Amino acid sequence: MMSFCILPFLFCICIFHYAHGYLSVTTNKKHSLFKLKSTFHKFHTINSQTVQLQLPLSLSKSSNDPNNENIPSFIETIVLQQVYPAMMKHIEEYGNPNIPLGTTDGKKCKTLRRMAFQNKLTEKEMELLEGMSFRLNNLEDVYEEADFDECLERLLKYEKEFGTNYQIPKKYKPDPELGAWVTMVRRIGRDDIEEERRNKLDQINFAWISTRKCGSVFMSSYRTIKGRLEECCNIPSSSSVKEGSTKIKVIDHEKHSNILKEEKVAQWIKAQKLAADLGNLSEHRCEYMDSLPGLNWREF
């Protein structure tokens, strides 16, 4: 009778020992598995870092950025590498690679133009940009960003070597920046350029008029239209070539309106607006357009 009473007690003890052993084994297994995972994670991380450091920079970038896979391998200039995918996207959407200013990519395009003028791009990179119809002839930017005294010194060296009375070609291959700079100096003109710079150019007997057959269709049309519109306005004596139209008041509204309604004038303004919308009008030309008195050309 006593043995039957003890049996349930012994059964409970057996169950307790079995359960305790199972939990111990399971806990140890989980702990071992956790250690194994931690070790693998550390090894994987270290191994990945090691591989990443051993890879060339270009391959490392390609693995992280799928856009870089489409960048031509011959592109060496970092700025061009960075903006190339955005330029291709701009071509798909707008038909050209000329990203407007106001964005990071637009500023990079501006940097590319300056580097092109400074002969800092490779021959293949230049061929690529020209084949994409990338706008390179941004003369206004060259004039604004170039060091005036440095360009003046280079111009003196050119004149000493060739003796052409400063008739340097606009597209002077040995120094594209200098050719563009001289062209822009003449476009601004002796009367409108800064006084200090005018004096320096006069001291070297700079030829303000080019004997070469060249000129800007934009500037020619711009000056004609601007002059006609100014005849309808009250212009403060302190206004300058690039002064905003907010300081100029239209006094002959009928004449002003009739000028803007002329077919050739209207077509020219609309052409500039379209060029700006497509990113083909430089920042400085946009500023020129902004200075047309009594006209909001962006909403024309």
Side-chain angles (χ1 to χ4, degrees):
M1 184 71 178
M2 181 68 67
S3 60
F4 285 103
C5 294
I6 295 174
L7 284 175
F9 177 74
L10 293 175
F11 180 78
C12 290
I13 292 174
C14 290
I15 293 296
F16 173 79
H17 280 289
Y18 177 82
H20 178 73
Y22 176 80
L23 289 173
S24 298
V25 171
T26 303
T27 302
N28 290 335
K29 284 184 178 180
K30 288 183 177 179
H31 180 68
S32 300
L33 183 60
F34 174 78
K35 289 181 67 178
L36 179 61
K37 286 183 176 180
S38 299
T39 303
F40 175 77
H41 176 72
K42 289 179 181 178
F43 172 79
H44 181 265
T45 302
I46 295 172
N47 190 46
S48 297
Q49 291 175 349
T50 304
V51 173
Q52 184 76 8
L53 291 173
Q54 290 175 348
L55 284 174
L57 184 59
S58 58
L59 293 179
S60 176
K61 287 183 178 179
S62 296
S63 61
N64 294 330
D65 187 356
N67 290 330
N68 285 340
E69 295 177 0
N70 299 322
I71 298 177
S73 58
F74 60 79
I75 295 180
E76 301 175 7
T77 305
I78 295 177
V79 176
L80 184 53
Q81 289 178 355
Q82 293 172 342
V83 77
Y84 182 82
M87 293 170 70
M88 296 304 296
K89 184 177 180 181
H90 200 270
I91 290 176
E92 292 179 4
E93 295 182 3
Y94 302 102
N96 68 82
N98 304 305
I99 304 173
L101 286 173
T103 64
T104 302
D105 292 326
K107 292 177 181 177
K108 289 177 181 177
C109 286
K110 183 177 180 179
T111 301
L112 280 179
R113 293 186 182 96
R114 185 174 67 251
M115 295 180 71
F117 275 115
Q118 295 173 343
N119 275 338
K120 291 184 177 179
L121 300 180
T122 66
E123 185 176 348
K124 286 188 176 181
E125 289 173 343
M126 287 296 296
E127 290 177 357
L128 173 68
L129 293 175
E130 290 172 357
M132 295 167 62
S133 298
F134 182 69
R135 178 169 49 80
L136 293 169
N137 57 336
N138 197 339
L139 304 182
E140 293 89 347
D141 287 343
V142 171
Y143 176 77
E144 292 292 335
E145 297 175 7
D147 185 283
F148 184 89
D149 292 328
E150 182 183 327
C151 287
L152 189 64
E153 184 179 347
R154 281 150 56 192
L155 180 61
L156 286 169
K157 289 181 179 178
Y158 173 88
E159 180 61 21
K160 184 177 180 180
E161 181 177 357
F162 298 102
T164 62
N165 193 27
Y166 304 107
Q167 301 301 321
I168 183 173
K170 174 182 174 181
K171 296 180 180 180
Y172 180 52
K173 289 187 177 180
D175 193 346
E177 185 180 41
L178 181 60
W181 180 83
V182 172
T183 300
M184 195 58 204
V185 167
R186 290 195 173 109
R187 284 188 187 178
I188 296 172
R190 187 179 183 280
D191 295 335
D192 298 322
I193 202 169
E194 298 92 327
E195 183 179 358
E196 182 182 355
R197 295 184 174 184
R198 178 173 64 242
N199 293 336
K200 289 182 178 181
L201 290 164
D202 284 343
Q203 287 175 4
I204 67 169
N205 296 319
F206 176 71
W208 289 95
I209 299 176
S210 174
T211 57
R212 294 176 172 271
K213 187 179 180 181
C214 61
S216 167
V217 175
F218 171 87
M219 289 305 296
S220 177
S221 299
Y222 165 79
R223 289 189 178 118
T224 300
I225 295 174
K226 185 172 185 286
R228 294 182 63 194
L229 293 176
E230 286 178 345
E231 293 176 357
C232 311
C233 303
N234 180 20
I235 305 174
S237 58
S238 59
S239 63
S240 59
V241 174
K242 292 185 180 181
E243 188 170 16
S245 58
T246 55
K247 295 185 179 181
I248 301 176
K249 295 182 179 180
V250 179
I251 55 177
D252 191 340
H253 293 277
E254 184 178 356
K255 183 178 179 181
H256 187 277
S257 178
N258 289 335
I259 293 173
L260 296 178
K261 288 179 181 178
E262 292 179 13
E263 185 178 357
K264 289 185 178 180
V265 174
Q267 286 180 351
W268 184 81
I269 295 173
K270 289 178 180 179
Q272 308 317 309
K273 180 181 181 299
L274 178 61
D277 292 341
L278 295 175
N280 294 331
L281 197 67
S282 71
E283 181 182 12
H284 289 285
R285 289 193 176 184
C286 287
E287 290 176 359
Y288 281 125
M289 294 296 296
D290 289 337
S291 72
L292 289 173
L295 172 66
N296 185 357
W297 66 280
R298 298 176 188 272
E299 297 181 4
F300 189 77

